[in-house]
Amino acid sequence: MVAATVPGARTTTTSVIGVDLGGTNLLAGAVGPDLGVHHRVRRQAFGLDQPTLMATIVDAVQEAATAAGADVAAVGLGIPVTLDRRSGEAVYSTHLPIAGMPFAAVMSERLGLPVAVDNDGNCAVLAEARHGAAQGAEDVVMLTLGTGIGGGLVLGGRVQRGWIGAGAEFGHMVIDMDGPPCQGNCPNHGCLEVMASGSALVREAALRVGRRPDTPLGHALEEGRALTGPLVTELAHDGDPVACDAMEAIGRALGVGLASIVNMLNPEVIVIGGGVIAAGEMLLAPARREMQARALMPARGAVRIVPAAFGDEAGMIGAALLAREEA
Ligand SMILES: [Zn+2]
């Protein structure tokens, strides 16, 4: 976590703005003291250059702040980068062009508000461990399945980021050493991220629909619909065999990763969030089965694997919590 502060009064009745910046979309919300979200703003963040991305964030925050009224105390941003906690710099990003900049300081100056910044996975686990699906648990892992896979870790009730803030990158745990090349700037092969993310779901569906075009998914593509994670999820809910197979494949891959997490960390709860969790049990059931077949006792018998209570808003809610506590 990196905080940059400008002068400003704050009360417990004011709203804060939480921002979750993913590799594809940005979600901003005005969040009240009761964690109620009063106004949501969505923007596309994919493929933007740095100036456009920064302008998009500022614009989304200002729209949410305007809708919330005058009483906005601070802004929390969850971003998919490694933040060097010693310098406050965004030192590395797999998906976004913001490496090398003092992100919190720049944002605070442009917004005229106190700003707190953390990795998006850390924000999400904070929300779920404090107030969500893992409330009351002290040892919690969270995986956020979207374009990539974000990770967050709470041990002993505290968010753990590693020495310089680069830890808890569960998405880059290898589950197939000869697997496909990982995404973005990751030099690895067969990472969990490339096997079980929303991008993996689309790839698995594309592979299968090529062999079985006479299916609802095949017909949807013929009609000109784009092959996206939400489309595959929607058709899997309807029982489309190609979509269901693709979902089962990424669910199993997820379970392989979960087995290693269970063996290494013995968490009480593993929370699965991000856009892909819209698939619910279609994803979680094969993941749990695979984990149970691979992890060691007694840890595998004790762990709970649950969907995020805040759904795909965990990162945004956690960023708001961070703003309230740290900015
Ligand atoms: Zn990787």
Side-chain angles (χ1 to χ4, degrees):
M1 201 290 304
V2 179
T5 307
V6 297
R10 194 178 334 158
T11 72
T12 52
T13 59
T14 54
S15 286
V16 294
I17 307 295
V19 179
D20 182 18
L21 181 57
T24 306
N25 294 305
L26 177 155
L27 173 63
V31 181
D34 58 351
L35 298 187
V37 181
H38 301 295
H39 188 78
R40 292 170 176 81
V41 180
R42 290 177 195 276
R43 293 277 190 282
Q44 200 180 69
F46 181 73
L48 306 180
D49 61 16
Q50 188 185 102
T52 314
L53 179 63
M54 298 300 280
T56 301
I57 298 168
V58 169
D59 182 62
V61 168
Q62 286 172 343
E63 185 185 322
T66 304
D71 244 5
V72 171
V75 180
L77 295 127
I79 58 177
V81 303
T82 302
L83 290 158
D84 188 332
R85 304 187 71 214
R86 301 167 301 184
S87 66
E89 253 190 36
V91 290
Y92 180 81
S93 175
T94 310
H95 298 287
L96 292 172
I98 48 179
M101 68 184 300
F103 187 81
V106 169
M107 271 293 140
S108 184
E109 190 186 331
R110 289 187 63 169
L111 293 166
L113 285 167
V115 164
V117 179
D118 204 344
N119 175 271
D120 54 345
N122 296 340
C123 290
V125 78
L126 183 68
E128 293 292 339
R130 290 272 178 81
H131 302 284
Q135 192 174 12
E138 295 256 294
D139 299 295
V140 180
V141 168
M142 174 143 191
L143 300 178
T144 304
L145 276 54
T147 312
I149 293 187
L153 175 63
V154 166
L155 291 178
R158 292 169 56 94
V159 176
Q160 305 290 331
R161 302 172 175 87
W163 174 46
I164 59 170
E169 288 287 358
F170 299 111
H172 297 280
M173 173 175 48
V174 172
I175 61 169
D176 179 358
M177 68 183 260
D178 297 317
C182 193
Q183 311 191 109
N185 297 319
C186 178
N188 215 335
H189 284 248
C191 293
L192 185 63
E193 166 159 322
V194 77
M195 306 296 285
S197 61
S199 312
L201 177 63
V202 169
R203 188 191 63 233
E204 293 294 330
L207 276 173
R208 287 167 170 75
V209 79
R211 295 193 295 263
R212 299 180 67 180
D214 191 20
T215 50
L217 181 61
H219 299 152
L221 299 182
E222 266 173 33
E223 288 161 15
R225 293 187 69 180
L227 183 54
T228 62
L231 176 66
V232 179
T233 304
E234 178 195 321
L235 290 178
H237 275 298
D238 295 343
D240 174 69
V242 167
C244 288
D245 280 1
M247 192 66 74
E248 168 95 11
I250 72 156
R252 286 193 60 212
L254 176 62
V256 175
L258 295 181
S260 291
I261 291 171
V262 167
N263 287 341
M264 286 189 284
L265 296 167
N266 181 207
E268 181 178 346
V269 184
I270 300 177
V271 183
I272 309 295
V276 182
I277 196 56
E281 286 300 309
M282 287 190 303
L283 177 78
L284 292 181
R288 287 194 199 99
R289 262 200 314 276
E290 200 67 31
M291 184 281 293
Q292 288 291 343
R294 290 173 182 263
L296 299 171
M297 282 301 278
R300 74 164 190 255
V303 68
R304 286 187 287 132
I305 296 167
V306 297
F310 294 115
D312 66 356
E313 297 194 335
M316 187 255 282
I317 303 270
L321 284 173
L322 190 74
R324 202 168 284 287
E325 293 174 11
E326 310 272 2

